[in-house]
Amino acid sequence: MPRFKTIMVTGGAGYIGSHCVVDLLEAGYEVVAIDNFANAVGDEEGSPALQRAEEITGKQITFYKADLLDKQQINNIFDKHIVDCVIHFAALKAVGESMQQPLLYYQNNLLGMLNLLEVMRSHNCYQMVFSSSCTVYGEPDQLPITETHHTGNITNVYGRTKYFIEEMLKDLSAADEKWNIISLRYFNPVGAHPSGLIGEDPTKEFTNLMPFMAQVALGKKPVLTIFGNDYNTPDGTGIRDYIHVMDLAGGHVAALNLLSENHVRLKVFNLGTGKGVSVKELVNVFERVTGTNIPVKYVSRRLGDITAMWADATLAKNELGWTTKRTVEEMCTDFWRWQTMNPDGYPKKNKTTVIVVNGKS
């Protein structure tokens, strides 16, 4: 059994959070998950994603509908549980939306983190895995990107909130040696759990590429909009490091193992495959493995997007003992399984149900 027993997962009902919870339960941890459903489907009665995580693992999750901006609410949850470590996913995360509503992003992501850290400190919980992002690197000077690449020249507000939080964590760990924090800079998570029971179900129009692509493949959207085909890349579309969400989840379990055995103060790791794949290439693989046709429409670049980035994940391999295992084909196949099993995503209780009786509604 791991030395840590109880892990709090903020944003636990979200896409990455719910997949990570599955891995945590399977690794023997007890999970207390919180979510305010800003980015996830759910209500006062709970989260369909976490209910399905319980189904997958046969284990129980303690869940609270809670908001990190409500400090007293978070304090009350910590009063009820002895939390050994927090995995902090909860954040608003749409690049496009962040450019339109910067104050919303600064309030939610920065104040939420401040409240969480203060409550943790008051409950003598000093261990954290922080969900950061490769956006902290901005437009990279060289590829692949190592953790020593400079940060701060960010192209969007969402990325800036991750950067500011990383700076906050640096100052915190320098000021108080009790803190033991790992910051994981994700590249581009895609895919779904191989069971098809949980996956990505965007709650906003500012959506990621793969859910959009799958909706087009299902015939629910007419065409896939690709932002920019004039980048300085081989096919003109942006290049990203797509990582299977279950590989990403495994990175968090590896980070917990390191934190439970070592006092690292603050360490940063890239989580990516180390391979760049263009948007056009990803669409082609998706079409091939799913046997679908995805019409595309090219429009101008989005404000805040960058040309190309992929990770050098050598440090995670050497110090966390973690590498990615799943291919781009598996990312597409697993996501398509989720999407075809759940064409409308998770069940939403607030949808109006029309009952038809004798041909009349």
Side-chain angles (χ1 to χ4, degrees):
M1 277 293 291
R3 188 169 68 83
F4 293 158
K5 184 182 174 194
T6 303
I7 310 301
M8 175 178 279
V9 181
T10 72
Y15 170 45
I16 302 170
S18 58
H19 288 78
C20 184
V21 164
V22 168
D23 254 21
L24 291 172
L25 293 172
E26 289 180 340
Y29 294 101
E30 290 179 13
V31 172
V32 176
I34 67 170
D35 208 295
N36 67 353
F37 300 118
N39 282 328
V41 176
D43 55 29
E44 298 295 340
E45 291 171 34
S47 149
L50 291 176
Q51 286 154 11
R52 292 181 181 192
E54 290 181 326
E55 197 182 317
I56 290 166
T57 60
K59 296 183 177 176
Q60 216 168 3
I61 299 158
T62 303
F63 175 75
Y64 297 92
K65 182 175 185 288
D67 194 318
L68 291 174
L69 296 183
D70 185 340
K71 193 173 175 184
Q72 189 56 51
Q73 191 182 32
I74 305 307
N75 195 72
N76 293 345
I77 295 168
F78 270 83
D79 283 347
K80 291 178 188 167
H81 303 274
I82 298 170
V83 175
D84 296 305
C85 183
V86 174
I87 301 183
H88 179 45
F89 292 107
L92 295 176
K93 61 185 178 67
V95 168
E97 184 183 53
S98 78
M99 301 300 281
Q100 293 177 11
Q101 300 191 63
L103 293 182
L104 176 69
Y105 272 66
Y106 288 130
Q107 181 193 50
N108 187 85
N109 295 4
L110 299 184
L111 285 184
M113 178 55 128
L114 274 171
N115 286 344
L116 177 62
L117 290 169
E118 287 178 346
V119 171
M120 286 174 67
R121 183 176 60 187
S122 70
H123 289 79
N124 290 313
C125 176
Y126 291 96
Q127 328 274 345
M128 173 181 273
V129 179
F130 171 56
S131 162
S132 191
S133 165
C134 63
T135 53
V136 300
Y137 294 118
E139 188 80 52
D141 294 335
Q142 78 275 336
L143 292 164
I145 303 172
T146 67
E147 291 82 355
T148 56
H149 189 287
H150 63 82
T151 59
N153 188 23
I154 322 284
T155 59
N156 60 73
V157 174
Y158 160 70
R160 239 181 316 275
T161 66
K162 293 292 186 185
Y163 168 70
F164 289 154
I165 288 171
E166 283 201 4
E167 293 298 297
M168 198 191 298
L169 296 178
K170 274 187 206 168
D171 292 338
L172 188 61
S173 63
D176 185 347
E177 63 182 21
K178 291 197 197 82
W179 289 96
N180 198 25
I181 301 167
I182 288 178
S183 183
L184 299 175
R185 292 175 181 160
Y186 309 165
F187 280 68
N188 291 68
V190 294
H193 191 271
S195 66
L197 288 174
I198 61 173
E200 187 171 11
D201 184 9
T203 56
K204 296 177 180 176
E205 274 304 303
F206 296 94
T207 186
N208 291 333
L209 175 61
M210 196 168 276
F212 200 140
M213 192 158 58
Q215 290 290 299
V216 174
L218 281 174
K220 287 179 165 287
K221 289 186 186 291
V223 65
L224 173 66
T225 304
I226 295 178
F227 297 94
N229 63 344
D230 58 349
Y231 285 106
N232 183 23
T233 61
D235 62 25
T237 64
I239 292 175
R240 298 291 181 269
D241 187 338
Y242 296 101
I243 173 174
H244 197 296
V245 67
M246 291 311 300
D247 281 333
L248 189 61
H252 293 77
V253 175
L256 284 182
N257 291 342
L258 185 65
L259 284 180
S260 69
E261 293 162 11
N262 298 276
H263 194 76
V264 299
R265 296 282 288 265
L266 177 64
K267 286 286 290 189
V268 176
F269 295 98
N270 286 337
L271 294 187
T273 64
K275 297 185 191 77
V277 176
S278 78
V279 172
K280 198 163 184 294
E281 285 174 318
L282 188 66
V283 174
N284 292 343
V285 173
F286 194 91
E287 287 183 318
R288 177 163 52 79
V289 302
T290 62
T292 59
N293 177 51
I294 301 171
V296 302
K297 172 180 76 175
Y298 293 101
V299 298
S300 57
R301 302 178 188 187
R302 274 183 310 197
L303 189 65
D305 275 348
I306 61 167
T307 305
M309 61 177 1
W310 60 90
D312 181 330
T314 308
L315 194 66
K317 181 181 180 181
N318 292 345
E319 296 194 17
L320 296 179
W322 173 90
T323 54
T324 58
K325 300 182 179 77
R326 296 158 180 90
T327 63
V328 177
E329 284 78 9
E330 286 171 281
M331 299 172 204
C332 294
T333 302
D334 288 343
F335 195 85
W336 186 237
R337 186 182 301 111
W338 147 257
Q339 194 70 95
T340 50
M341 285 171 65
N342 306 271
D344 298 314
Y346 294 111
K348 286 117 180 138
K349 289 183 184 168
N350 56 2
K351 282 188 176 173
T352 306
T353 305
V354 179
I355 300 170
V356 178
V357 182
N358 297 331
K360 295 178 183 175
S361 59

